[in-house]
């Protein structure tokens, strides 16, 4: 079997993997880098199927990796888009309190944003909410001016171009099947070739824990796939929304809830929900993988989670199969919307880490094995934070 030798290998050509290759190429231009991607193109999974939001950093626990990299990453991402003329809009977001319980959480969320140094945020009343989004009807909310939108595939196209222009390699249809660890390098074994690298970064997203296991690592978490479904407003109703409209999130869950996003092309996307998926890369409601199903149900942490939150799970499944229920969730934010205003659009799958106690891991999770760094949990806001995540994990690694 043929062998190729590199200084650094990166598994996964989603936005975090590509950002890491880009950052290494800038900081260590003498190092030979390869990105290995099992698909026939980049950003086909979480990166290419999210809602395209450039997050501000308001939600995340102060001092967490999510908070630090999101606040730093949003600045880097805007600068990157401006430098390379990537279409984006800094349109701002309102976070809407729909009931008394959510109103109580508004102050907490606002203080968290201040602790995270999110600029320009303010608590606003009904009048100001209606000035920003005339069809919203709520007594209280938060204005977040730094939130924006972008097509993350466009960001990835530019990253690929920059990586290749630095004479680094990206190899598609390259599925890593085995990994052998040696004192000074790793052998990443695919069907037709062996890639030897002095160091490698596991940025495999939905399959990051599988790659970690190939290295002999026993991850402290398990990745559980959640399906997110999106609707959109019919074209003639897209003027009902000017920017981004979000609910106050449930503090017990790392999901932000169904929201409305004015996209780059002027359309309005609604979603996602969060439904347990029985296939990691399953983009239909009927998707099922026996391997993934067994992986989920054999994990003790999953059963603890399911026992604790089964009511929420049932409600999510009901909303998944009932358009009427999905519309009702949307009406909490935009009361004017009706059944005929919304049409089904797409499905994405998010990898969410779960620990042995059944807790959804709220922060990014990074673990080491010999000559390797594994990014095991990088859900939202990983796309926003990708350039800052790349910088952070390179600093954590043994490259420096």
């Amino acid at each position: 079997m043929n062998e190729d030798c590199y200084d650094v290998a990166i598994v996964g050509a989603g936005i975090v993997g590509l950002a890491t290759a880009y950052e290494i190429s800038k900081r260590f231009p003498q190092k030979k880098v390869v990105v290995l991607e099992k698909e026939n193109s980049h950003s086909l999974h979480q990166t290419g199927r999210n809602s395209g939001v450039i997050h501000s950093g308001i939600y995340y626990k102060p001092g967490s990796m999510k908070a630090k990299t999101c606040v730093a990453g949003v600045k880097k991402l805007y600068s990157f888009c401006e430098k390379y003329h990537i279409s984006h809009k800094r349109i701002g977001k309102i976070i809407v309190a729909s009931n008394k319980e959510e109103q109580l959480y508004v102050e907490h969320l606002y203080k968290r944003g201040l602790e995270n140094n999110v600029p320009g945020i303010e608590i606003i009343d009904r009048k100001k909410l209606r000035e920003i989004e005339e069809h919203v009807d709520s007594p209280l909310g938060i204005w977040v001016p730094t939130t924006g939108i972008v097509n993350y595939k466009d960001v990835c196209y530019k990253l690929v171009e920059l990586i290749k222009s630095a004479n680094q390699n990206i190899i598609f249809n390259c599925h890593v099947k085995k990994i052998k660890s040696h004192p000074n390098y790793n052998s990443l074994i695919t069907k037709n070739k062996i890639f030897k690298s002095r160091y490698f970064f596991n940025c495999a997203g939905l399959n990051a824990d599988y790659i970690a296991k190939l290295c002999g690592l026993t991850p402290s978490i398990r990745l559980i796939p959640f399906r997110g479904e999106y609707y959109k407003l019919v074209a003639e109703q897209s003027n009902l929304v000017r920017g981004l409209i979000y609910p106050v999130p449930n503090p017990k869950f790392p999901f932000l809830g169904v929201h409305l996003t004015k996209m780059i092309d002027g359309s309005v996307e609604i979603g996602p929900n969060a439904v347990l998926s029985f296939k990691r890369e399953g983009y239909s409601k009927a998707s099922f993988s026996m391997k993934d199903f067994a992986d989920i149900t054999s994990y003790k942490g999953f059963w603890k989670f399911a026992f604790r939150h089964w009511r929420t799970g049932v409600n999510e499944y009901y909303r998944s199969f009932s358009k009427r229920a999905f519309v009702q969730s949307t009406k909490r934010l935009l009361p004017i919307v009706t059944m005929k205003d919304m049409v089904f659009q797409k499905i994405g799958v998010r990898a969410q880490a779960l620990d042995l106690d059944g807790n959804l891991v709220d922060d990014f999770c990074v673990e080491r094995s010999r000559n390797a760094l594994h990014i095991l949990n990088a859900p939202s806001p990983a796309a926003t934070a990708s350039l800052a995540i790349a910088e952070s994990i390179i600093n954590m690694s043994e490259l420096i």
Side-chain angles (χ1 to χ4, degrees), residues 80-137:
F80 186 87
C81 290
E82 288 161 9
K83 180 177 180 179
Y84 294 108
H85 310 291
I86 298 168
S87 181
H88 66 288
K89 293 179 182 177
R90 198 181 311 223
I91 55 177
K93 169 173 72 177
I94 56 171
I95 302 172
V96 177
S98 300
N99 55 47
K100 289 184 179 179
E101 184 180 354
E102 291 180 355
Q103 288 179 42
L104 294 174
Y105 192 63
V106 163
E107 183 70 27
H108 171 80
L109 193 59
Y110 173 72
K111 288 179 179 178
R112 175 168 282 191
L114 293 179
E115 286 185 71
N116 288 339
N117 297 311
V118 178
I121 58 173
E122 57 179 307
I123 295 177
I124 55 177
D125 59 16
R126 188 188 304 272
K127 181 181 177 182
K128 185 65 181 287
L129 281 167
R130 296 295 285 267
E131 288 175 5
I132 297 169
E133 293 286 355
E134 62 177 311
H135 298 294
V136 167
D137 186 21

Side-chain angles (χ1 to χ4, degrees), residues 187-204:
S187 294
L188 284 69
I189 302 166
T190 68
K191 184 178 180 181
N192 299 313
K193 188 173 285 190
I194 296 174
F195 296 88
K196 289 184 176 180
S197 69
R198 297 178 188 277
Y199 202 85
F200 93 89
F201 292 89
N202 172 7
C203 301

Side-chain angles (χ1 to χ4, degrees), residues 143-205:
W143 168 238
V144 188
T146 55
T147 304
I149 50 170
V150 70
N151 185 331
Y152 282 108
K153 280 193 172 183
D154 292 343
V155 177
C156 288
Y157 280 121
K158 177 52 68 172
L159 287 170
V160 167
E161 181 184 311
L162 293 169
I163 293 164
K164 289 182 176 179
S165 68
N167 295 316
Q168 308 293 11
N169 283 348
I170 303 174
I171 303 176
F172 297 112
N173 299 307
C174 188
H175 195 169
V176 176
K177 299 287 190 178
K178 294 181 181 179
I179 298 174
K180 291 184 178 179
S181 181
H182 306 277
N184 297 314
Y185 68 94
N186 286 290
S187 294
L188 284 69
I189 302 166
T190 68
K191 184 178 180 181
N192 299 313
K193 188 173 285 190
I194 296 174
F195 296 88
K196 289 184 176 180
S197 69
R198 297 178 188 277
Y199 202 85
F200 93 89
F201 292 89
N202 172 7
C203 301

Side-chain angles (χ1 to χ4, degrees), residues 362-373:
D362 194 33
D363 201 4
F364 299 147
C365 180
V366 180
E367 295 188 22
R368 302 174 188 272
S369 64
R370 187 157 63 176
N371 304 316
L373 201 67

Side-chain angles (χ1 to χ4, degrees), residues 11-13 38 46 201-209 211 223 281 375:
V11 178
K38 69 182 178 65
Q46 294 183 104
F201 292 89
N202 172 7
C203 301
L206 286 156
N207 295 298
D209 55 348
I211 295 295
L223 290 181
E281 295 168 359
I375 297 78

Side-chain angles (χ1 to χ4, degrees), residues 272-309:
N273 55 357
V275 181
L276 182 67
S277 172
F278 294 113
K279 187 175 182 180
R280 293 195 180 209
E281 295 168 359
Y283 301 118
S284 77
K285 294 182 182 182
S287 294
F288 182 85
S289 162
M290 182 55 73
K291 177 184 176 184
D292 293 341
F293 176 76
D295 188 61
I296 294 167
T297 56
S298 65
Y299 186 56
K300 291 181 180 178
F302 165 74
W303 292 108
K304 292 178 181 178
F305 167 80
F307 180 78
R308 197 178 302 146
H309 300 297

